[in-house]
Amino acid sequence: MKRRVFLGGAAAAVAAPVLAQAQAPGPVRVRLDTADGPIVLELYPDKAPITAGNFLRYVDEKRFDGATFYRASKVPNAPEFGLVQGGVQNDPARVLKPIAHEPTTKTGLSHTNGAISMGRTSPGTATSDFFICVGDMTYMDADPKQPGDNLGFAAFGKVVEGMEMVQKILAAPTSPTAGEGVMKGEMLAQPVKIVTARRLPA
């Protein structure tokens, strides 16, 4: 006959924080070594566990090694602001299954300067490709007051070192004819290689 074990009093008080720590890990830092220099990200799996966890899987399985930053989308009349996009671009040998969407209304994060977020078409289609904001772009946050697809994009961290590298990528020349749809004219003439992507020690 199996014995049932019940935690009470001091034992329960000790167990609760341990469980909370296991379910809500703190920030995780990742270093992207690019051909132009390093970019250090701080990810928030406690706030965006699905999205941050997906990105970390690409890192841990070295799927981002050899990927590129391939897009620089500049704000009209203010080209120092915009976003840079990178990832494996649906390479069948690297891409993983799409993940569930985590809107900013759920995570509490926002698309402010340096935020990293997932590219997508409809909600629930994000895979590997991500973007980094240069300047505040809070219009990319979820907004339930807006009609249609109002779930925004899934922010899950921010740049903590190397923002000058991101700005350099944004300023790089683009091809006027490459790309389709909203990306036309925004594809980098010379994509910037992500040499390695690795977790940093806690």
Side-chain angles (χ1 to χ4, degrees):
M1 180 177 178
K2 294 183 178 179
R3 296 178 60 189
R4 294 183 179 180
V5 179
F6 296 92
L7 294 178
V14 170
V18 171
L19 290 174
Q21 289 175 6
Q23 294 171 354
V28 177
R29 291 199 171 190
V30 170
R31 177 182 170 119
L32 304 179
D33 277 309
T34 79
D36 283 352
I39 300 168
V40 178
L41 309 170
E42 185 171 83
L43 312 184
Y44 303 116
D46 55 332
K47 297 177 180 179
I50 295 172
T51 316
N54 175 70
F55 190 89
L56 288 170
R57 183 178 174 189
Y58 278 88
V59 170
D60 294 341
E61 296 181 6
K62 301 182 180 179
R63 293 175 183 266
F64 283 138
D65 292 10
T68 62
F69 283 101
Y70 57 84
R71 181 187 180 200
S73 178
K74 302 172 180 63
V75 174
N77 303 319
E80 68 273 23
F81 301 113
L83 63 84
V84 300
Q85 187 166 342
V88 306
Q89 294 182 273
N90 291 318
D91 178 349
R94 298 184 183 214
V95 74
L96 299 170
K97 291 182 179 179
I99 57 172
H101 183 64
E102 290 180 307
T104 54
T105 47
K106 177 180 179 181
T107 63
L109 300 172
S110 184
H111 291 84
T112 53
N113 184 44
I116 180 171
S117 187
M118 293 303 297
R120 70 168 177 90
T121 49
S122 58
T125 60
T127 54
S128 83
D129 289 18
F130 61 91
F131 63 89
I132 298 172
C133 297
V134 181
D136 292 347
M137 298 187 173
T138 54
Y139 62 87
M140 290 186 170
D141 294 348
D143 185 355
K145 297 178 182 178
Q146 295 296 320
D149 179 0
N150 55 22
L151 294 178
F153 293 86
F156 61 99
K158 66 181 181 182
V159 174
V160 292
E161 294 178 29
M163 197 62 191
E164 68 278 7
M165 299 300 149
V166 180
Q167 293 166 333
K168 182 179 178 181
I169 296 170
L170 181 65
T174 56
S175 170
T177 57
E180 297 180 357
V182 296
M183 291 189 181
K184 188 170 183 177
E186 298 182 348
M187 308 302 282
L188 289 171
Q190 294 185 334
V192 177
K193 187 176 181 179
I194 299 171
V195 182
T196 59
R198 298 288 183 271
R199 291 194 196 216
L200 293 177

